[in-house]
Amino acid sequence: MQYAIIFLPLIGSIVGYLGKSITKYFSEVTTSLFVCISAALSIVVFFDGTQNNNYGNYIVLEWISSGDFKANWSINIDPLSSVMLVVVTLISAIVHIYSIGYMSHDPHKPRFMSYLSLFTFSMLALVVSDNFLQLFFGWEGVGLCSYLLIGFWYKKETANNAAIKAFIVNRVGDFGLALGIFLIFFYFGTINYQEVFQMVSQYTDQKLTFLGLEIGLITLICIFLFIGAMGKSAQFLLHTWLPDAMEGPTPVSALIHAATMVTAGVFLVVKCSPIFEYSQVALNLVTVIGIITAIFAASVALVQNDIKKIVAYSTCSQLGYMFFAAGVGAYNVAMFHLFTHAFFKALLFLGSGSVIHAFNDEQDIRNMGGVSKKLPYTYISMLIGTLALTGFPFLSGFYSKDAIIEYAYLSNTILGNYAVVIGIFTAFLTSLYSWRLFFKTFHGSYNNKKTPIEKTHESPLVMLIPLFFLAVGALLSGFTFKEMFIGNHSSDFWQTSIFFLDEIKHELIPTWFLFLTPAIVIISIPISYYYFLSNTSILKEFKNTNLPLYNFLSNKWYIDEFYDILFVKTAKNIGSFFWKKGDLGTIDRFGPDGISRLIKMISNKAARFQTGFIYDYAFVMLIGLSILLTYLILN
């Protein structure tokens, strides 16, 4: 069963791609069926683990064996990986089914479905690894698949640029992860999780000199691992690929943002909690980056107009929550939010895809509105997703996001207190941009000039049924699994898959604090309705009088422009200098071009003797004979 969970998506990917010419829907049905079976088996494995404590490490094959070094290809099932199996396979199965309808008019849908299944396999290989090498294989696999899927419409220049950008930015993070793994192998002599985790406490006093600074070995390893996590999970400074990734088809966005690529970074930090717990410096760095990412992405989402980019920045912000939860030591809460977030974020993305489908590929929310009755099922789905994202009471986001803020409060540290303040303020911003998207998309006047409102239509059942299942998850996942994931006996569930050096106990919290965030979330609804729907002139006036602030947010804090000056233009200028001065000015000038000019010059000079007169030829022969006699006499 465990083998089937991992390899069915891979088989589906191969069969679906190679069998694209068999029948019309062969690829779509095959890939979707195999992933659905994998999802069903993942749920069985998850509940078998919770009820019967049936976990284990299943060796597929011995991958590398060299002296004392061994690395297996294995399927390691523990509580943490079982949760990830459910998240990855279930969301992937829903996305596969949704894609049958969404991509129905695309001539290359077999290739698309094959890529989706390969993406799923890569993520599964990552989460069930029992060593860092297999994790790195899956890590690079999801990076490759994201490149293929973001640039799926390769005839669009913007899609190609976005795919390249995602690939390059992730290479920066992957280089950090590779350095972390190299350090682990060099000092620990192994890359197997359990062996590494057991030896960490022996190296807490080990110091290294890095870039002229003395730094602890464990801290340096954690920093490098976290750099890898920053790249995959689009944290501040390595986030720039995420909004551009919206150039890919909408189902890709849902899969990347809800279940696969971006969750890999959070999984890595939680999986390596036995290492991070021994470095407070690294945990503080994780907290700081998480805080900055949460507020940064939420502030930028306020002024975006592309429906998918708003949801994308929302993902970035929510990942910030997960990281600062991990940074304060609440790894189980970070995983709980990852779990609930998968449902409502996939719901929002696929719901957005349904809206885009209705508006004939229109993505600007300023060109929408007034279709709540035309798209009733999409409307309800987006409403549930919005309520869950904002943390409305008793929906999934309420249980997980509020838990993060509560645990940050209970950590009783300076950074934890900062995280509380930023977390609450970010929750308010999240409500504002979420309701802005919702109201401008479905309410108010109809603003689309290209598509008459009569031609807007609800999506087919093959797209609506996945929305229904995700809506159920967004409604119930928080309440259903809260006690299991973060309750007083949550350690019974997580067992040794998450390590706590000093576990935060959910002690008594002031009543006013418990009601603060939900109250802000509820109050934000009428505020959003008034400013984004009833009286939009106030915001227009505010924008005009605060244009620098609006431009700052609209241009995403000018991070892309900064990188363009610092890296892109600098690299181009350096390359241009070496090309003109080095390649053309030196190598070509004195190399092939210089030699050819010299030969041509000699040939031109020699050609002057070819006059046709006997005395010229006699003169040349006389000179040649003189040179030959001189050489013979001297030798």
Side-chain angles (χ1 to χ4, degrees):
M1 183 164 58
Q2 289 79 5
Y3 296 94
I5 292 173
I6 308 305
F7 291 107
L8 276 176
L10 177 62
I11 296 170
S13 175
I14 297 170
V15 173
Y17 187 83
L18 297 179
K20 57 188 175 181
S21 58
I22 295 177
T23 60
K24 184 176 180 181
Y25 291 105
F26 178 81
S27 296
E28 294 93 312
V29 172
T30 303
T31 54
S32 299
L33 178 63
F34 282 14
V35 174
C36 285
I37 294 172
S38 181
L41 295 177
S42 296
I43 294 172
V44 172
V45 166
F46 174 77
F47 282 106
D48 187 36
T50 58
Q51 300 298 320
N52 304 317
N53 197 33
N54 189 10
Y55 300 111
N57 191 26
Y58 306 88
I59 305 298
V60 178
L61 54 88
E62 189 179 77
W63 192 4
I64 298 175
S65 179
S66 177
D68 295 332
F69 175 72
K70 293 186 186 302
N72 295 321
W73 184 281
S74 64
I75 301 173
N76 183 49
I77 304 295
D78 62 11
L80 180 60
S81 62
S82 69
V83 170
M84 291 301 298
L85 286 179
V86 171
V87 170
V88 174
T89 57
L90 190 57
I91 300 300
S92 179
I94 291 171
V95 169
H96 272 73
I97 295 170
Y98 179 92
S99 299
I100 295 174
Y102 191 87
M103 301 294 289
S104 59
H105 301 296
D106 194 288
H108 305 293
K109 50 186 178 293
R111 176 165 60 89
F112 178 79
M113 301 299 288
S114 176
Y115 286 169
L116 283 184
S117 290
L118 184 61
F119 203 164
T120 306
F121 165 73
S122 298
M123 188 66 187
L124 292 175
L126 188 158
V127 300
V128 299
S129 60
D130 74 344
N131 62 78
F132 284 99
L133 187 61
Q134 185 179 330
L135 175 135
F136 195 75
F137 169 85
W139 197 270
E140 294 303 307
V142 294
L144 169 64
C145 292
S146 69
Y147 170 79
L148 296 173
L149 286 166
I150 293 169
F152 177 75
W153 287 319
Y154 57 86
K155 293 183 180 180
K156 288 173 60 179
E157 185 180 358
T158 52
N160 286 326
N161 292 339
I164 293 169
K165 186 175 183 180
F167 200 77
I168 292 174
V169 173
N170 272 276
R171 294 292 71 73
V172 177
D174 295 354
F175 181 64
L177 175 62
L179 289 177
I181 296 173
F182 293 158
L183 276 175
I184 289 171
F185 176 68
F186 185 79
Y187 283 95
F188 291 73
T190 180
I191 54 171
N192 293 315
Y193 291 145
Q194 292 305 318
E195 295 175 4
V196 171
F197 296 160
Q198 289 171 5
M199 290 190 285
V200 170
S201 59
Q202 303 172 20
Y203 290 87
T204 53
D205 297 325
Q206 179 86 34
K207 300 291 183 181
L208 293 177
T209 300
F210 180 72
L211 299 178
L213 300 173
E214 189 177 67
I215 187 170
L217 171 64
I218 302 301
T219 296
L220 192 59
I221 289 173
C222 289
I223 290 173
F224 282 137
L225 293 178
F226 181 58
I227 290 172
M230 286 174 64
K232 277 290 179 284
S233 293
Q235 292 300 283
F236 186 68
L237 299 180
L238 293 180
H239 68 277
T240 52
W241 66 270
L242 195 70
D244 290 19
M246 297 304 99
E247 289 292 338
T250 301
V252 175
S253 305
L255 193 58
I256 289 177
H257 289 247
T260 54
M261 188 155 163
V262 298
T263 61
V266 179
F267 170 79
L268 175 64
V269 172
V270 175
K271 183 70 178 179
C272 294
S273 56
I275 306 177
F276 278 86
E277 280 291 277
Y278 286 97
S279 174
Q280 190 58 49
V281 173
L283 287 175
N284 290 344
L285 176 64
V286 173
T287 305
V288 169
I289 295 295
I291 291 171
I292 296 173
T293 304
I295 188 69
F296 156 75
S299 65
V300 172
L302 281 171
V303 298
Q304 296 299 305
N305 295 309
D306 186 305
I307 187 171
K308 287 172 64 177
K309 285 190 176 181
I310 295 172
V311 185
Y313 277 111
S314 168
T315 300
C316 195
S317 181
Q318 297 305 305
L319 288 165
Y321 273 101
M322 297 176 207
F323 274 110
F324 80 65
V328 299
Y331 304 100
N332 53 339
V333 185
M335 285 303 302
F336 183 41
H337 193 50
L338 183 152
F339 181 78
T340 60
H341 175 265
F343 292 101
F344 60 74
K345 188 50 56 70
L347 178 60
L348 285 170
F349 266 114
L350 297 187
S352 299
S354 184
V355 172
I356 294 167
H357 180 77
F359 280 94
N360 292 321
D361 298 327
E362 177 60 67
Q363 294 184 199
D364 194 323
I365 59 174
R366 294 171 297 184
N367 298 326
M368 299 178 183
V371 291
S372 57
K373 294 181 179 178
K374 294 286 290 182
L375 312 174
Y377 301 110
T378 301
Y379 177 83
I380 294 171
S381 300
M382 289 292 285
L383 176 61
I384 293 172
T386 301
L387 289 169
L389 170 61
T390 58
F392 193 83
F394 309 116
L395 274 76
S396 57
F398 164 75
Y399 291 101
S400 58
K401 188 159 64 175
D402 281 25
I404 290 175
I405 297 173
E406 291 168 18
Y407 273 78
Y409 174 83
L410 290 169
S411 68
N412 198 28
T413 61
I414 296 175
L415 271 179
N417 293 334
Y418 278 119
V420 169
V421 175
I422 297 298
I424 293 173
F425 183 63
T426 301
F428 176 65
L429 296 182
T430 302
S431 293
L432 292 181
Y433 69 68
S434 298
W435 289 112
R436 173 177 176 263
L437 181 153
F438 183 78
F439 289 139
K440 283 188 172 293
T441 302
F442 294 103
H443 291 276
S445 58
Y446 186 79
N447 299 311
N448 196 296
K449 297 179 181 178
K450 295 181 180 178
T451 305
I453 191 169
E454 294 78 18
K455 291 190 176 181
T456 58
H457 55 85
E458 187 61 274
S459 298
L461 274 177
V462 73
M463 292 171 64
L464 293 178
I465 291 173
L467 295 183
F468 169 76
F469 284 106
L470 289 172
V472 172
L475 286 169
L476 302 178
S477 61
F479 173 78
T480 306
F481 294 97
K482 178 184 177 182
E483 188 61 32
M484 181 186 293
F485 283 10
I486 62 172
N488 293 327
H489 301 288
S490 64
S491 57
D492 295 338
F493 169 71
W494 295 110
Q495 299 182 19
T496 58
S497 63
I498 296 179
F499 177 75
F500 299 97
L501 201 58
D502 295 305
E503 185 175 359
I504 301 173
K505 297 296 182 182
H506 198 281
E507 300 166 348
L508 189 63
I509 297 176
T511 305
W512 66 266
F513 186 82
L514 293 174
F515 283 95
L516 180 59
T517 306
I520 290 173
V521 167
I522 294 171
I523 291 170
S524 68
I525 299 175
I527 293 175
S528 301
Y529 182 86
Y530 179 75
Y531 285 110
F532 298 128
L533 207 60
S534 294
N535 200 343
T536 57
S537 60
I538 296 176
L539 284 179
K540 289 179 181 177
E541 181 64 26
F542 180 81
K543 171 187 169 182
N544 293 331
T545 55
N546 296 272
L547 206 55
L549 175 61
Y550 176 81
N551 290 334
F552 178 72
L553 297 179
S554 180
N555 288 284
K556 301 160 286 188
W557 292 22
Y558 293 105
I559 302 294
D560 281 285
E561 288 77 5
F562 175 71
Y563 283 169
D564 187 55
I565 294 171
L566 184 63
F567 297 116
V568 179
K569 290 183 178 177
T570 301
K572 285 182 177 179
N573 290 335
I574 294 173
S576 177
F577 172 80
F578 281 107
W579 172 60
K580 290 179 179 178
K581 300 295 184 182
D583 197 4
L584 296 180
T586 304
I587 297 174
D588 284 355
R589 181 183 176 186
F590 297 105
D593 291 348
I595 293 171
S596 63
R597 281 196 302 269
L598 179 63
I599 293 173
K600 186 178 181 181
M601 182 184 69
I602 295 172
S603 299
N604 290 336
K605 297 292 185 184
R608 292 182 180 181
F609 293 105
Q610 306 299 320
T611 62
F613 297 109
I614 294 177
Y615 54 80
D616 285 332
Y617 295 139
F619 176 73
V620 171
M621 292 171 66
L622 182 61
I623 295 296
L625 181 61
S626 300
I627 294 172
L628 178 62
L629 290 173
T630 303
Y631 174 77
L632 292 173
I633 292 170
L634 292 176
N635 289 278

